[in-house]
Amino acid sequence: MNKRNNLYLSLLIFTLVSIFSSCGKEEEQLIEDVNNKQYPENSWIERTMRSKYYWYNEIPEVGSLKFDADAETFFQSLLSTKDGKERKDGNGRYFYSYIESPTPVTRGIYQTTYSYGFDYTLYKMSNTEFVAHILYVAPDSPASQAGIKRGDWIATMDGAYITEQNYKTLYGGKSMELQLAVYNPESDKLDLGKKVQIDTAREIVDNPVYFNKMIDWGGRKVGYLVYNHFSSGKTDDDKSFDKDLLARFKDFKTAGVNEFVLDLRYNNGGSLSCAQLLSTMLAPQSALGKTMCTLEYNDKQRPQNINIALNSSLIADGANLNLQTLYVLVTETSASASELVINSLKPYMNVVIIGMQTEGKNVGSETYTDDAYDWKLHPIVCKLFNSQNKSDYEKGFTPDYKLDEATELDQFLEFGNTNELLLNAALRIIDGSYTQATTKSATSFTQNLQKVSGSLDRKATPGVVIDIETGQE
């Protein structure tokens, strides 16, 4: 074939490709125009997701989407297989991105929800009965007023056993009688305890700055803080929780704290601004002003990468502790902003992780609304990296010292008790007396317990909630 024929063939192919491409674009635009008129709500959802979603390039083509589906089903059809995780029970996948219905739901940075004021883990026992294990109790709540405390077990409600059908009653409802039980390490069984009458559920203020203590240990002054969720206050405009956190760090500084144990075992995430504040007060002084983390958005966004600093101007009413080592207590519940603090501080200090493998949420979400529709979209919009460009904890952080409080119930004690399993391990690591060989295997009782769910699942955020102004529209 001569050069003229080659040139002719090339021009022909180019022309055909251009025609088909143009037809494809025109057909796609036609479909989009029809959908905009017939299904405006789902069209808005689709446009927003194609623009903002971190994995927008995995959304199916317009022609294959079912715009006539209900909004929740339609939203789900847009999500990537990289979004979220496979359920541990094998029942499919759960996504971090979600759509919030017009009826308020119990997800968000902070919810002043009606409850009894306790969080728990629900277990199925070998004889098919269920029991609820109390993790912590909010002050000034129906639970605290009834005398319920961390470590108690709930065996019955108004005389009825807990089942898969009724356990959600424990989230909050009418006044009722609870049969409590306590773990007996000698018999390795639950012993029935007192019966208590718990008042009707009401609005609870669950301050994340739950417990703090200064501990003198082996010549060291150890600060200990239980921080249960990353939220600034009771509302978007309220900063009361942050003010409390700042005050506690000022107290730690005044007391001369030189070691620190941060308890995030029940903290499944929240806002970026709170993570920035906490990290800034924990970091070495030499790290202030440097990058805490980088938010990587999809390639449609400008700028695509946003740097968040360890900002000393945030802590005028608090204090930076200038730590060199941080001991963090975690469980499988620890996620999102909790993991962000760990990842962000690792380049600047020694971060020692004690407990169980964390959840593994290294992504962030933002909220999108439109006055024309009632729905709120909460898609994953970015991935978070530390100053060393690392974001390799999508499967969670592996603890340096593995300890499971659910299997060593004789040490499931009140927060701040120096014999409590995870705190005691941290203190003995600090003084050099800890040996992994001292840990015990699961008892017969704990081996026969099967975790079903927990109240903390309701508080989980889809990822780190990006509540800092990034300059993007």
Side-chain angles (χ1 to χ4, degrees):
M1 187 179 293
N2 59 36
K3 292 182 179 180
R4 177 176 293 181
N5 288 337
N6 277 335
L7 178 60
Y8 174 78
L9 181 60
S10 297
L11 290 171
L12 178 62
I13 292 173
F14 176 78
T15 302
L16 290 173
V17 168
S18 298
I19 291 172
F20 287 127
S21 176
S22 176
C23 290
K25 288 181 180 179
E26 288 178 3
E27 182 179 356
E28 189 172 299
Q29 184 62 51
L30 180 62
I31 294 172
E32 187 173 334
D33 291 343
V34 171
N35 288 330
N36 283 337
K37 293 179 180 179
Q38 293 187 354
Y39 312 107
E41 192 169 69
N42 284 348
S43 292
W44 165 69
I45 292 172
E46 187 256 350
R47 289 195 305 274
T48 303
M49 292 292 284
R50 285 199 191 277
S51 172
K52 304 297 184 181
Y53 191 43
Y54 187 69
W55 299 285
Y56 76 90
N57 53 2
E58 296 189 23
I59 296 176
E61 293 181 359
V62 172
S64 64
L65 294 174
K66 296 182 178 180
F67 281 83
D68 59 347
D70 64 87
E72 290 180 280
T73 300
F74 182 76
F75 181 84
Q76 289 280 322
S77 73
L78 307 179
L79 301 182
S80 165
T81 56
K82 296 174 184 175
D83 190 334
K85 285 192 170 57
E86 295 296 327
R87 298 183 187 278
K88 294 179 181 179
D89 59 9
N91 294 325
R93 190 175 191 85
Y94 66 97
F95 295 95
Y96 293 155
S97 298
Y98 73 101
I99 182 172
E100 188 175 346
S101 68
T103 302
V105 295
T106 55
R107 298 182 72 169
I109 299 179
Y110 177 79
Q111 299 288 342
T112 53
T113 55
Y114 286 82
S115 76
Y116 292 123
F118 59 75
D119 277 299
Y120 64 90
T121 300
L122 184 71
Y123 291 101
K124 181 178 181 179
M125 302 179 72
S126 57
N127 60 357
T128 71
E129 294 176 359
F130 291 76
V131 287
H133 194 201
I134 304 298
L135 304 176
Y136 74 92
V137 176
D140 191 27
S141 66
S144 66
Q145 291 166 359
I148 298 172
K149 62 183 186 302
R150 169 176 162 79
D152 283 340
W153 298 76
I154 299 176
T156 66
M157 305 180 295
D158 278 340
Y161 288 110
I162 301 173
T163 67
E164 281 188 280
Q165 287 70 43
N166 70 11
Y167 79 87
K168 289 184 179 180
T169 303
L170 293 172
Y171 290 163
K174 64 181 179 62
S175 174
M176 62 179 171
E177 183 183 74
L178 301 177
Q179 172 67 68
L180 302 183
V182 292
Y183 175 71
N184 186 332
E186 293 184 3
S187 63
D188 193 31
K189 294 179 180 179
L190 291 183
D191 291 341
L192 291 181
K194 61 184 179 180
K195 292 182 179 180
V196 300
Q197 190 73 26
I198 192 167
D199 287 342
T200 304
R202 62 174 184 263
E203 189 174 284
I204 301 299
V205 177
D206 182 14
N207 188 337
V209 188
Y210 183 78
F211 181 88
N212 68 97
K213 185 178 182 179
M214 260 77 75
I215 303 170
D216 290 317
W217 189 267
R220 306 293 289 172
K221 286 191 175 294
V222 183
Y224 173 61
L225 173 69
V226 180
Y227 189 64
N228 283 340
H229 49 91
F230 287 80
S231 46
S232 297
K234 293 172 284 186
T235 65
D236 290 342
D237 297 325
D238 179 32
K239 301 297 180 183
S240 58
F241 298 160
D242 280 354
K243 290 178 180 177
D244 197 2
L245 185 64
L246 288 162
R248 299 293 75 75
F249 269 80
K250 191 172 184 178
D251 293 341
F252 287 135
K253 187 73 171 182
T254 302
V257 162
N258 46 34
E259 301 283 2
F260 202 88
V261 179
L262 177 63
D263 196 334
L264 300 175
R265 74 183 83 186
Y266 305 135
N267 192 321
N268 50 18
S271 81
L272 174 59
S273 65
C274 292
Q276 182 187 29
L277 176 63
L278 181 60
S279 298
T280 301
M281 292 192 288
L282 292 169
Q285 194 169 16
S286 60
L288 299 184
K290 296 182 181 178
T291 296
M292 170 194 164
C293 66
T294 297
L295 315 181
E296 179 193 75
Y297 290 82
N298 70 40
D299 57 12
K300 291 184 177 181
Q301 308 307 311
R302 294 294 180 270
Q304 183 177 0
N305 297 312
I306 305 291
N307 287 331
I308 306 299
L310 294 164
N311 186 355
S312 58
S313 67
L314 299 174
I315 58 173
D317 296 326
N320 169 261
L321 300 185
N322 192 26
L323 299 168
Q324 303 306 310
T325 300
L326 175 66
Y327 302 87
V328 187
L329 311 184
V330 297
T331 64
E332 302 98 323
T333 305
S334 308
S336 180
S338 289
E339 295 168 307
L340 175 62
V341 169
I342 293 171
N343 195 51
S344 296
L345 292 177
K346 271 179 169 287
Y348 303 113
M349 63 195 303
N350 181 29
V351 180
V352 180
I353 305 173
I354 304 164
M356 299 295 288
Q357 184 106 354
T358 62
E359 161 81 11
K361 288 185 183 178
N362 60 344
V363 290
S365 73
E366 293 184 4
T367 300
Y368 299 96
T369 61
D370 189 295
D371 291 340
Y373 314 109
D374 291 327
W375 296 93
K376 292 182 180 180
L377 309 184
H378 304 273
I380 295 301
V381 297
C382 64
K383 189 173 180 179
L384 298 105
F385 296 80
N386 66 16
S387 62
Q388 294 176 336
N389 202 34
K390 291 184 177 180
S391 183
D392 53 357
Y393 57 98
E394 61 274 359
K395 294 183 179 179
F397 282 107
T398 301
D400 300 295
Y401 299 87
K402 184 178 179 180
L403 288 168
D404 186 359
E405 66 174 7
T407 65
E408 299 193 33
L409 296 176
D410 57 331
Q411 285 187 264
F412 196 97
L413 306 173
E414 291 285 357
F415 294 118
N417 187 322
T418 56
N419 290 317
E420 187 274 319
L421 181 69
L422 298 188
L423 176 58
N424 182 258
L427 295 173
R428 290 191 292 118
I429 293 167
I430 289 171
D431 71 17
S433 65
Y434 181 84
T435 58
Q436 194 77 25
T438 61
T439 60
K440 300 182 289 294
S441 59
T443 66
S444 175
F445 175 75
T446 56
Q447 284 179 332
N448 289 326
L449 288 176
Q450 177 186 344
K451 182 178 178 181
V452 177
S453 66
S455 60
L456 291 172
D457 296 341
R458 299 185 306 151
K459 299 180 178 181
T461 56
V464 177
V465 178
I466 310 302
D467 61 340
I468 292 176
E469 181 58 49
T470 62
Q472 295 180 336
E473 296 183 357

